[in-house]
Amino acid sequence: MKKKKVPSVIKDQRLIEYRRNQIIKAAVSLFKQKGFHRTTTREISRLSGFSIGALYEYVGSKEDILFLVCDSIFDEVIERLQPHLRTDVVGIERLKLVIRSYYKVIDHLQDELLVMYQEAKSLDSEALPYVLHKNDLMTNNIELVIRHCVENGLLQLNENQIKLASHNIIVSGHMWAFRRWALQKLYTIDEYIDLQTSFLLKGVGAPGSAQEEIAATLPATEK
């Protein structure tokens, strides 16, 4: 799918990337506090560290900034997952590694993820399909690892179950950000990863005792 083109009068691609990263960080902070519609481009430029005129050298509109925020989140998630998709680790251990890596990225991008899902509805008709496509790519990466386990006889899942399992992993990762006000009082990110991985693997019928894995992560008083 063709990527939305964000206009810039600057020709230096490295400078464009550097300045847009500044704009993205400022926008995430302000969108989180005030929402997309209540945030002004002047506020974004001020927090970015340059004038409103300079900001418009790198973007054409506030909607462009929201698109850059969404696009950068998916790019980072996919980039961090790629090494584990090509790792020498195979089978269920590979699936565990990919789940852990994905959750760690979500932990790192909590604010960005919240902003993206709260404000994506404000993307224009050109940007929204592209962002949704990037979301599908992220899910497909998880699906490929599950499918590899099925093809090697490690999981017994049909096509619908493979797809649903990949979506379950994506959503359970998002939950760490969406319900952090509750979950992060109860668990560290590593405890959350261990528990969710155990539940997910049990759900897809992975070999081994998921119950024993879950019990091993609980405090002694809860066993």
Side-chain angles (χ1 to χ4, degrees):
M1 180 172 290
K2 188 176 180 180
K3 182 175 181 177
K4 173 184 169 70
K5 186 174 178 59
V6 176
S8 173
V9 300
I10 306 299
K11 303 303 180 184
D12 185 334
Q13 290 301 314
R14 286 180 297 179
L15 182 58
I16 291 174
E17 183 177 355
Y18 177 74
R19 292 301 190 196
R20 283 182 175 174
N21 283 337
Q22 289 180 289
I23 293 169
I24 288 167
K25 289 178 182 178
V28 167
S29 177
L30 289 166
F31 292 166
K32 180 188 171 188
Q33 294 174 30
K34 305 178 64 175
F36 172 75
H37 292 291
R38 293 179 58 200
T39 298
T40 66
T41 50
R42 189 170 298 279
E43 290 172 322
I44 296 172
S45 69
R46 188 181 303 119
L47 192 58
S48 300
F50 39 84
S51 69
I52 185 69
L55 181 140
Y56 280 113
E57 292 179 346
Y58 298 96
V59 296
S61 66
K62 191 171 66 169
E63 287 73 18
D64 286 341
I65 297 173
L66 178 59
F67 170 71
L68 290 174
V69 168
C70 295
D71 194 39
S72 70
I73 293 168
F74 285 122
D75 280 347
E76 185 163 356
V77 173
I78 293 170
E79 180 182 349
R80 290 193 182 203
L81 281 180
Q82 283 302 320
H84 303 296
L85 298 173
R86 297 188 296 266
T87 183
D88 291 335
V89 178
V90 296
I92 298 299
E93 290 305 313
R94 182 186 184 199
L95 179 56
K96 289 180 181 179
L97 181 59
V98 170
I99 292 172
R100 175 168 292 276
S101 301
Y102 168 65
Y103 284 7
K104 286 285 190 178
V105 179
I106 296 301
D107 183 51
H108 178 68
L109 297 174
Q110 292 178 52
D111 289 344
E112 289 87 345
L113 191 74
L114 285 170
V115 166
M116 183 182 70
Y117 278 96
Q118 288 169 353
E119 306 297 349
K121 60 184 180 295
S122 298
L123 290 167
D124 62 35
S125 58
E126 181 183 3
L128 182 57
Y130 177 80
V131 168
L132 293 177
H133 175 67
K134 292 288 280 287
N135 190 23
D136 288 341
L137 289 178
M138 186 171 66
T139 308
N140 290 344
N141 280 328
I142 303 291
E143 182 182 320
L144 286 173
V145 179
I146 298 172
R147 191 176 299 281
H148 185 266
C149 291
V150 172
E151 290 170 352
N152 284 275
L154 300 172
L155 297 174
Q156 302 297 317
L157 302 174
N158 61 34
E159 187 65 20
N160 284 338
Q161 290 169 330
I162 291 172
K163 292 184 177 299
L164 184 58
S166 65
H167 283 284
N168 281 343
I169 291 171
I170 293 294
V171 172
S172 62
H174 292 170
M175 188 167 70
W176 179 250
F178 294 161
R179 292 188 58 80
R180 62 186 182 184
W181 55 272
L183 291 173
Q184 294 179 27
K185 294 176 183 177
L186 300 172
Y187 314 108
T188 66
I189 180 59
D190 288 314
E191 290 169 340
Y192 181 77
I193 290 170
D194 290 341
L195 283 166
Q196 282 287 16
T197 301
S198 295
F199 282 128
L200 289 163
L201 292 181
K202 179 185 177 184
V204 297
S209 173
Q211 294 291 355
E212 290 177 6
E213 291 180 19
I214 294 170
T217 67
L218 297 174
T221 56
E222 297 183 29
K223 294 180 181 179

